Amino acid sequence: MADVIETQELVKKFGEFTAVDGLDLRIRTGELFGFLGPNGAGKTTTIRMLTTLSSITSGSATVAGFDVPSQPARVRERIGVVPQQFSLFEELTPVENLWYIGKLNGMPEAEIKARTTELLKVVTLHDKKDVKSGGFSGGMKQRLSVAAGLLHTPEILFMDEPTTGLDPQSRIALRELTQELNGQGITIIYTTHDMEEADKLCDRIAVMDHGRIIAEGTSSELKHKITQHKLIEVEVVDPDEALLQAVKDLDFVQGVRKEGDVLILQASKADDAFYKLTDLFRKRKKQVHEIRIREPSLEDVFIQLTKKDLRDE
Amino acid sequence: MAKKGKLQHLGVDAGETLLDLEKVKAIIRKNWFVLRSDRMRLVPMMMFPVIMIVIFGYTSGVTPKNLPAALVDYDNSVLSNEVAGQLQALQVLAIEHRFGSESEGKRAMDAGQIQALIIIPPGFGKDVSEGRQASIRLLVDESEPSIAQIAKSSVAVFVKGVSSKISLQRLSEQQRKAQYARQQLASVQTALLYADGTQADAYRLSLQSLALAQSRLSSNIKSAQASAQAVAAGLSTPSNQDLLRSPEFQERTALQDAAARAAQVKSIAQQQSLLAQMAAYNALAGRDAAAIKQVALVRAQMAQWKAADAADAAQDESASRTLASVDDVLERIGSQDTSILSDPIHLEQEAAYGQNRQGIDFLLPSLLALIIFQGATQGMGRAIAGERKDGSLTRVFLTPTSNVTILVGTQLFYIIFETIRSSFIVFLAILLFGVRISGSILETLFIIALFAAGSVGVGMLLSAMAKGEEQYMPLAMMVSLPMVFLAGVFLPIQTMPGPLKALATVIPIHFAGNALRGVMIKGFSILTVLPDIAYLAGFALLTFVVSLIVFKREVL
């Protein structure tokens, strides 16, 4: 399959701050490609550069075969975008909004009308087509945004954290819609900081942190990277810092983190791990509820790669 | 419990302090951090009061100086030259030109070279010198009502001054005449006092004593006559005849009778008795002669008195003549007093552009320019800055639509909107205030649209600079509010200090006001105000080009 997006050494600087730091990327036609990373990792900035909304400091980027800096209008003709922030006119109804976007995309009136009817059915907003969109719920606004992004039948659809702030029901609906669109052959670039979402949705995932791609591959490829380690979860009563340190000091432990009363250990293959752990807790008079071995998730991959928690920052 | 209840009324719950100063400090600091981080908002907010105080401070209560004016002196008399000289000394007006005719002056006014034209009509000097009411005419361009008012009142005060000077001259002339009349009266009074007080009284007294003396004498003579008659009855001697015939006795017939009878007296005894009688009579006659002399003297005195009386009468007559003339003078002074009270010089004020124009007619063009500018700058916040902030501009950026297209489309809408809005204001002014448009309505609309383009351009530029409506508003305020004062609607431009005045005359609102005034009020063709039109077109183009440069497609 041909690459529909390609970047080389893509850099974006805001003054001294480097938001995107030498990004090399290849996205194939028809892929549902995910950018995974915490807020501030450079996902949105990358999307903005690729969608011509933000200038490129250095490096190159081609989208749908067009050079982004020199042929932005050509790029815009071929892409659709669902921005993070609702970006339609709240004073206008869905029909009016789509008419305006259609006109700006150079579409004939009849085509706008047909596409509007079709898309509003797809995003299940047909019964609200003449209601001012300012009063819509977050999910409805985001679905309208998807319709606006798809209006001119783009080859590529960029979706920048589309599910952020939505209730679970709306999230599921939007994910299903995304998969449906991808199924129709549209290449989708999807950014999220939700590991589970990326895991379930995306064909391939690029994990971003500090403006760089730190890992790239399918979900299973990424998970495989950390399977040489075992993940051991220990549910213990009132784990304190001293205990945490003592666990960390065990020879087979590569890393440890605490989630409530659960300690999550990355352990190298050591047959005596169970023995050593129970011995430690007994000596320290700590009551242990459960010790279990876990399969790694994308979150574990992220933590392994970045050496930090996945909490936003 | 009661206390707690009270505090709960004030929104204080358990565990809270009514007024926590530490938290108050934190809130104050937080607000400062918020403001500090938004320079685009902070700077205009700080600059705004500075601009206000500068404009207000320098423009309030200052009398304008050296308003350009011209003089037409049709009279060219000594007095008109003097008045012209005094006009030069006026601070409010600067008589920069002297024209030969009114039409020349009006042309200069049309061209905006002068704001006031003073006309001294022919016969001005003659009217004043002959005590008639003369007039000076004043033509004022009321385009700037406040300035026109100042020019008018300044000239009115000046004319009043000249007028009262002439009034004073006339009054002192009258005083001189009154003084003369007063002197005349005094001399008459003196003469009368002298006549009545001394001579006449003396004459009257002597006349009275004389009359008394004569009446006594008359009664004596009567008794002498009676006794003489008695004597004469027996006395008729011829020797007495001569005596009796003497001229002194001729008048007295009774004595003649007595003498006749005396001649007939026969007896010696009778003769002796008669002689004795005669002697007595002679004595009386002597006294009578003396009385007669006395009477003659009285008569002479009487004649003298009568003469004196006549002289008095003559004097009286001359006095009454003098009085009559004084009366006449006074009456004339009296009648002239009222003419002195009315001003010797009357100021005829005329509006240069139509007599039936009212304040709003002249205010409307500047007001309209101001409204267009204000409306355009206030409304453009939503246009670009607002859409940028709410993200809808991002959606536009995602379409293959050029910046020029976006700006032209946005700008055209607001130009059309402002033109319709301003036309509505003009329509309202016509309907409610009876404003008359002297020139072409179509040309007026064209100027409105052209100025709206420039004003919308300013709004567009600011909107392109601002990150959102919150930033836009202070920016727009900083630009648009000074215009309120610099437009010359509320504060006269002429009262401003040099730099502000210079600024007020180069801002587009000034040219828009000029062009609109020319067409709407003065009835000019649009060609007459072509320089203003060219400026406005240039300004609109400039703002568009700068907006295009400032307008960034970058989404941050």
Side-chain angles (χ1 to χ4, degrees):
Chain A
M1 269 193 279
D3 291 335
V4 76
I5 291 171
E6 189 181 342
T7 72
Q8 279 182 337
E9 288 296 312
L10 190 66
V11 174
K12 177 70 186 183
K13 286 189 175 187
F14 296 103
E16 287 297 300
F17 175 70
T18 307
V20 176
D21 190 6
L23 205 70
D24 291 310
L25 193 70
R26 278 163 190 276
I27 298 169
R28 290 169 214 132
T29 306
E31 261 190 321
L32 207 171
F33 188 88
F35 273 111
L36 176 69
N39 289 345
K43 307 184 299 285
T44 297
T45 308
T46 304
I47 296 293
R48 281 182 182 165
M49 282 194 285
L50 295 177
T51 56
T52 76
L53 288 177
S54 189
S55 62
I56 291 168
T57 307
S58 69
S60 71
T62 54
V63 172
F66 294 103
D67 182 44
V68 177
S70 63
Q71 294 168 294
R74 287 273 165 268
V75 172
R76 281 175 216 137
E77 281 169 5
R78 280 157 178 83
I79 62 168
V81 182
V82 181
Q84 202 170 335
Q85 184 195 9
F86 181 67
S87 58
L88 288 160
F89 294 88
E90 301 208 336
E91 299 90 337
L92 306 187
T93 64
V95 169
E96 289 166 341
N97 264 308
L98 295 181
W99 170 83
Y100 181 54
I101 299 304
K103 290 305 281 185
L104 291 186
N105 275 303
M107 292 163 69
E109 295 275 352
E111 193 189 334
I112 294 173
K113 214 172 171 184
R115 282 292 280 167
T116 298
T117 312
E118 182 191 337
L119 284 167
L120 287 180
K121 276 179 186 155
V122 171
V123 299
T124 61
L125 279 175
H126 199 257
D127 54 335
K128 302 273 186 199
K129 67 185 173 74
D130 293 321
V131 179
K132 279 184 186 169
S133 49
F136 284 3
S137 71
M140 286 158 79
K141 281 181 177 174
Q142 222 38 332
R143 295 206 303 272
L144 179 58
S145 212
V146 171
L150 292 170
L151 190 70
H152 60 300
T153 333
E155 302 164 26
I156 309 159
L157 183 67
F158 290 88
M159 299 177 86
D160 190 6
E161 304 208 8
T163 53
T164 303
L166 296 190
D167 59 89
Q169 217 174 349
S170 302
R171 267 172 203 242
I172 292 162
L174 197 64
R175 278 180 204 150
E176 281 171 4
L177 179 64
T178 307
Q179 279 171 322
E180 198 183 312
L181 292 169
N182 185 238
Q184 289 166 13
I186 299 171
T187 308
I188 293 175
I189 291 90
Y190 195 101
T191 78
T192 180
H193 59 258
D194 186 336
M195 304 288 166
E196 195 191 338
E197 190 171 82
D199 200 355
K200 284 182 183 163
L201 207 59
C202 299
D203 300 331
R204 275 198 316 136
I205 297 161
V207 181
M208 277 192 86
D209 195 32
H210 295 303
R212 295 179 154 277
I213 291 176
I214 51 175
E216 197 186 328
T218 62
S219 178
S220 55
E221 276 168 3
L222 289 172
K223 285 173 191 169
H224 185 72
K225 282 190 176 178
I226 58 165
T227 43
Q228 57 260 47
H229 296 291
K230 275 196 164 63
L231 282 180
I232 303 168
E233 287 184 356
V234 184
E235 211 178 321
V236 62
V237 174
D238 196 20
D240 51 24
E241 282 301 315
L243 181 71
L244 212 66
Q245 194 55 50
V247 172
K248 210 177 264 180
D249 289 343
L250 291 170
D251 56 355
F252 65 93
V253 174
Q254 305 293 311
V256 66
R257 68 179 198 274
K258 194 175 78 170
E259 278 180 12
D261 279 353
V262 181
L263 298 181
I264 300 162
L265 287 69
Q266 280 171 27
S268 56
K269 281 171 186 169
D271 299 331
D272 55 354
F274 265 99
Y275 172 73
K276 281 178 176 168
L277 276 172
T278 44
D279 188 48
L280 177 76
F281 292 130
R282 188 168 44 78
K283 277 181 184 161
R284 291 188 165 259
K285 294 193 169 81
K286 284 285 179 188
Q287 196 188 340
V288 175
H289 287 306
E290 195 183 349
I291 297 177
R292 56 183 178 258
I293 294 176
R294 200 181 85 177
E295 281 299 306
S297 67
L298 269 184
E299 191 164 0
D300 300 316
V301 175
F302 185 81
I303 289 157
Q304 166 74 12
L305 291 170
T306 61
K307 307 287 181 212
K308 70 177 184 188
D309 210 329
L310 231 198
R311 264 167 290 165
D312 298 347
E313 264 346 286
Chain B
M1 276 309 275
K3 193 180 170 191
K4 193 179 170 191
K6 257 184 200 169
L7 287 176
Q8 266 177 340
H9 256 311
L10 293 169
V12 178
D13 292 326
E16 287 176 348
T17 312
L18 178 63
L19 183 65
D20 190 330
L21 289 177
E22 275 305 307
K23 290 176 185 174
V24 167
K25 262 158 66 184
I27 292 167
I28 291 169
R29 284 193 73 184
K30 181 271 301 177
N31 280 305
W32 165 240
F33 293 155
V34 169
L35 189 63
R36 187 184 58 179
S37 71
D38 194 352
R39 293 268 157 81
M40 284 279 262
R41 197 155 69 97
L42 180 62
V43 173
M45 279 172 86
M46 297 305 286
M47 286 303 292
F48 182 68
V50 175
I51 291 169
M52 294 297 285
I53 194 76
V54 165
I55 293 176
F56 264 124
Y58 281 121
T59 50
S60 301
V62 184
T63 319
K65 280 182 185 167
N66 303 325
L67 299 175
L71 179 74
V72 177
D73 184 1
Y74 283 120
D75 189 42
N76 211 9
S77 65
V78 177
L79 185 67
S80 73
N81 277 320
E82 198 185 317
V83 167
Q86 288 167 350
L87 272 171
Q88 297 280 6
L90 272 186
Q91 282 206 318
V92 172
L93 296 181
I95 310 285
E96 289 170 353
H97 310 275
R98 287 187 76 147
F99 294 118
S101 71
E102 187 180 331
S103 56
E104 247 181 285
K106 276 195 128 176
R107 272 199 297 278
M109 188 171 280
D110 288 350
Q113 292 165 356
I114 56 166
Q115 284 183 308
L117 181 65
I118 298 162
I119 300 158
I120 303 179
F124 171 78
K126 198 162 177 255
D127 282 345
V128 171
S129 68
E130 289 177 4
R132 286 190 296 273
Q133 193 178 47
S135 65
I136 288 179
R137 287 171 58 216
L138 172 66
L139 255 83
V140 180
D141 179 358
E142 304 205 38
S143 312
E144 280 187 72
S146 49
I147 287 299
Q149 201 48 50
I150 290 164
K152 278 196 277 187
S153 56
S154 155
V155 174
V157 167
F158 170 77
V159 168
K160 200 91 186 161
V162 173
S163 225
S164 55
K165 216 182 230 172
I166 292 166
S167 288
L168 275 176
Q169 278 170 3
R170 284 181 176 174
L171 205 64
S172 72
E173 174 71 12
Q174 301 294 19
Q175 274 174 336
R176 203 181 52 75
K177 283 183 185 165
Q179 180 76 23
Y180 172 74
R182 224 174 287 131
Q183 281 169 357
Q184 291 278 309
L185 272 178
S187 71
V188 167
Q189 274 175 337
T190 323
L192 283 177
L193 191 71
Y194 180 68
D196 289 348
T198 46
Q199 224 171 349
D201 280 358
Y203 287 150
R204 227 170 272 131
L205 279 172
S206 62
L207 195 61
Q208 277 170 2
S209 70
L210 278 175
L212 199 70
Q214 209 207 359
S215 78
R216 268 204 305 268
L217 197 59
S218 292
S219 69
N220 283 346
I221 286 174
K222 270 180 188 155
S223 68
Q225 272 181 334
S227 57
Q229 274 174 343
V231 171
L235 196 73
S236 59
T237 57
S239 58
N240 292 331
Q241 296 286 326
D242 293 336
L243 179 71
L244 293 173
R245 277 185 208 118
S246 70
E248 288 89 349
F249 290 92
Q250 272 178 359
E251 291 173 342
R252 295 162 178 81
T253 51
L255 280 178
Q256 276 178 331
D257 289 347
R261 280 188 205 116
Q264 294 162 3
V265 173
K266 291 170 181 150
S267 74
I268 294 298
Q270 281 176 319
Q271 276 187 356
Q272 280 176 338
S273 163
L274 189 64
L275 282 173
Q277 289 282 335
M278 284 295 283
Y281 180 77
N282 276 344
L284 265 176
R287 281 166 67 184
D288 193 37
I292 285 167
K293 268 189 187 162
Q294 198 80 347
V295 166
L297 191 68
V298 168
R299 284 226 175 99
Q301 279 183 334
M302 285 286 276
Q304 222 175 339
W305 182 81
K306 269 184 183 158
D309 215 30
D312 269 2
Q315 217 164 6
D316 270 1
E317 204 183 303
S318 106
S320 82
R321 266 203 307 278
T322 312
L323 277 176
S325 93
V326 169
D327 197 39
D328 189 38
V329 168
L330 288 175
E331 196 176 344
R332 258 186 291 145
I333 291 172
S335 71
Q336 276 173 349
D337 262 353
T338 50
S339 77
I340 285 171
L341 280 177
S342 71
D343 290 328
I345 303 174
H346 168 65
L347 180 67
E348 289 171 19
Q349 293 184 355
E350 293 166 38
Y353 302 102
Q355 288 297 333
N356 300 320
R357 290 272 176 209
Q358 38 178 348
I360 181 139
D361 292 16
F362 297 101
L363 203 64
L364 188 67
S366 294
L367 199 61
L368 205 56
L370 185 62
I371 290 168
I372 294 169
F373 191 81
Q374 292 294 89
T377 48
Q378 296 306 309
M380 293 299 290
R382 176 75 187 92
I384 299 293
E387 287 183 14
R388 190 185 285 279
K389 184 86 173 178
D390 73 15
S392 46
L393 196 61
T394 304
R395 176 60 69 186
V396 175
F397 288 162
L398 285 166
T399 63
T401 309
S402 71
N403 288 0
V404 173
T405 306
I406 297 170
L407 292 195
V408 167
T410 310
Q411 205 154 345
L412 267 180
F413 167 76
Y414 283 97
I415 291 169
I416 293 165
F417 179 72
E418 283 306 326
T419 307
I420 291 170
R421 206 165 66 110
S422 303
S423 310
F424 180 64
I425 293 163
V426 175
F427 172 72
L428 268 187
I430 292 171
L431 201 72
L432 297 179
F433 305 110
V435 168
R436 286 182 301 120
I437 308 291
S438 301
S440 152
I441 298 266
L442 223 66
E443 287 176 354
T444 304
L445 287 181
F446 173 75
I447 298 168
I448 288 173
L450 192 60
F451 182 53
S455 305
V456 167
V458 171
M460 184 67 103
L461 178 56
L462 296 177
S463 206
M465 285 164 69
K467 287 203 185 85
E469 273 183 282
E470 306 89 52
Q471 258 188 13
Y472 178 85
M473 284 321 284
L475 265 180
M477 278 288 250
M478 198 170 77
V479 173
S480 75
L481 216 89
M483 296 302 157
V484 174
F485 304 107
L486 292 173
V489 174
F490 302 112
L491 293 173
I493 291 165
Q494 270 72 9
T495 63
M496 295 173 188
L500 276 183
K501 197 168 165 181
L503 184 65
T505 47
V506 297
I507 53 171
I509 217 165
H510 175 76
F511 291 88
N514 271 355
L516 285 172
R517 199 172 296 120
V519 174
M520 289 171 70
I521 307 302
K522 299 180 183 175
F524 293 167
S525 138
I526 203 157
L527 294 172
T528 316
V529 292
L530 209 56
D532 298 310
I533 299 291
Y535 178 98
L536 292 177
F539 180 71
L541 191 68
L542 179 78
T543 55
F544 182 77
V545 171
V546 177
S547 311
L548 203 57
I549 294 167
V550 169
F551 185 70
K552 292 271 182 288
R553 222 177 158 110
E554 186 99 9
V555 174
L556 297 173

